[in-house]
Amino acid sequence: MSSAGTYGAVPLPQTPYGARQYGRGRAMVDAGVRLDGIVWDADEVLWDWVMSVASMVRDVPTLFRTRSILSHTEFLRLKPGIWELLWGMHHASLERELDPYMRIWTAGYTWRLWRIAQHLPGFTALLGPPADVDLGPSSFDTHPRIMCRSHTTGALVQMISPGCRGWLDELPPRIRHLLLTHVQRSSGHAGLKIPELAELIGKPGFGASRVLVDDAHDNVARFVAAGRSAVRLNQPAPRLFRGRVPNAVWRRPQRHLDAVAGDIASPLADALTELAGAGYPGRRIDIYPADAEVRSTLSFQLDVPGDIINAEWVAPTRALKRALDPAKI
């Protein structure tokens, strides 16, 4: 049996490529990269996912009969190498008695993270307590190192309340300006990933955040505007209907997921090591896959109920819009 702290202890399919990325993760910690300094986006960074329009059309009669028209099936595939990098960093951090846990900030929702954890061995170990599949979605919702859509929108609702004037005044000017202009002008509120917002709603796990790993241009630009660093992964998700429907394909979802299975982990490791070595300057690095080779990795699918979408995707955004309507900031 493999001992803890080796690639053999990683609960994922073992491959030569995975072993190399695990070693890179260990080397990153040696080079000064710290897990508590990285904020990870989820979709298109930790995994790729798509919906099949053909499957959705076949399910329409059932969806209308059950009045769950927002229900859908998602096809997911882990990003090759990213999780091995994380495990290498996790084990090296444990040995050095550093913070060994990852931080996730997503525009998605906690129920989905909990369901993904049921398919992804070791996910809760990388997140650390209190994440526990057996305890249900609440252990992800209250987690100090997880920010989801409802947390971001809830923080913004709290931020624009009269009681937060003093809190805003104590922020560095550039961050205060960024937050206030964002809620005045932007509709993409769930993508705002500013660590001070996590602190506002009692999520202390983002206090050491120095770099965001994300695929969205706006998210990266705002993180850098707040005086931090960012790495942007350029592997766009497919879109249908002239770009209005993201993460959608007509059919054969696995074919698309194979198309984004190239090596993005090596450029990511290079970028994070470069930023750490430079002291995390306020800039971004754009990275692209190093090759287009299809690599073996874990795939699975999720059936998402419509009531979950309403409660954890639609409702938080509506609540923020209602709060912003009369706001005079």
Side-chain angles (χ1 to χ4, degrees):
M1 180 177 290
S2 299
S3 62
T6 67
Y7 177 57
V10 174
L12 293 171
Q14 308 278 294
T15 66
Y17 171 75
R20 289 195 301 272
Q21 298 307 330
Y22 175 84
R24 286 296 306 270
R26 281 186 160 275
M28 288 163 64
V29 175
D30 292 339
V33 183
R34 298 289 179 260
L35 273 170
D36 64 349
I38 306 172
V39 179
W40 299 87
D41 180 36
D43 295 330
E44 286 75 57
V45 169
L46 299 175
W47 47 70
D48 293 291
W49 73 279
V50 293
M51 299 177 290
S52 166
V53 172
S55 297
M56 295 171 72
V57 169
R58 286 196 300 269
D59 290 342
V60 163
T62 301
L63 299 181
F64 273 102
R65 187 168 60 252
T66 60
R67 299 182 180 180
S68 297
I69 60 173
L70 294 178
S71 301
H72 63 274
T73 297
E74 298 178 359
F75 300 84
L76 293 93
R77 179 183 177 125
L78 299 189
K79 282 281 192 190
I82 299 290
W83 291 93
E84 289 85 351
L85 274 179
L86 281 162
W87 275 105
M89 294 187 71
H90 179 71
H91 286 161
S93 298
L94 285 170
E95 290 171 7
R96 289 171 170 260
E97 298 186 348
L98 301 169
D99 188 314
Y101 301 123
M102 65 187 301
R103 276 76 175 152
I104 289 181
W105 197 318
T106 173
Y109 42 101
T110 53
W111 181 91
R112 186 166 176 264
L113 286 181
W114 168 69
R115 288 287 288 116
I116 288 172
Q118 293 176 326
H119 292 272
L120 175 49
F123 188 18
T124 54
L126 293 176
L127 288 169
D132 188 323
V133 167
D134 293 337
L135 295 179
S138 63
S139 69
F140 290 75
D141 185 53
T142 60
H143 201 291
R145 294 178 293 277
I146 293 175
M147 285 285 288
C148 293
R149 171 175 294 265
S150 60
H151 304 128
T152 303
T153 56
L156 290 171
V157 169
Q158 185 171 334
M159 185 191 80
I160 62 177
S161 67
C164 267
R165 296 290 181 181
W167 178 83
L168 280 167
D169 290 341
E170 292 177 1
L171 293 176
R174 73 157 67 185
I175 294 176
R176 181 171 63 249
H177 175 75
L178 177 68
L179 291 172
L180 293 179
T181 54
H182 177 78
V183 296
Q184 287 174 328
R185 301 174 186 171
S186 175
S187 60
H189 299 297
L192 186 63
K193 301 174 183 182
I194 305 299
E196 285 76 10
L197 289 175
E199 176 187 335
L200 178 61
I201 60 165
K203 297 266 189 174
F206 295 84
S209 300
R210 306 294 296 277
V211 56
L212 171 68
V213 180
D214 206 315
D215 68 301
H217 173 275
D218 289 347
N219 298 349
V220 163
R222 289 188 287 254
F223 203 82
V224 172
R228 299 176 172 97
S229 302
V231 180
R232 185 187 178 202
L233 276 65
N234 285 271
Q235 274 187 310
R239 288 175 172 268
L240 292 180
F241 305 108
R242 297 184 178 180
R244 290 192 293 268
V245 181
N247 298 96
V249 295
W250 287 111
R251 57 180 63 87
R252 297 180 184 174
Q254 200 60 44
R255 184 168 66 178
H256 165 76
L257 295 175
D258 284 346
V260 290
D263 178 20
I264 197 76
S266 296
L268 174 60
D270 291 339
L272 289 172
T273 302
E274 178 183 338
L275 289 171
Y280 294 105
R283 68 182 181 91
R284 64 184 279 178
I285 297 178
D286 284 80
I287 62 171
Y288 300 84
D291 59 40
E293 181 180 340
V294 178
R295 290 179 170 82
S296 175
T297 187
L298 185 65
S299 299
F300 51 93
Q301 59 188 71
L302 295 180
D303 294 321
V304 184
D307 59 343
I308 293 294
I309 298 292
N310 271 318
E312 299 196 29
W313 182 275
V314 178
T317 302
R318 286 179 176 171
L320 177 58
K321 287 180 178 179
R322 286 196 299 269
L324 286 174
D325 238 4
K328 305 294 181 183
I329 301 174

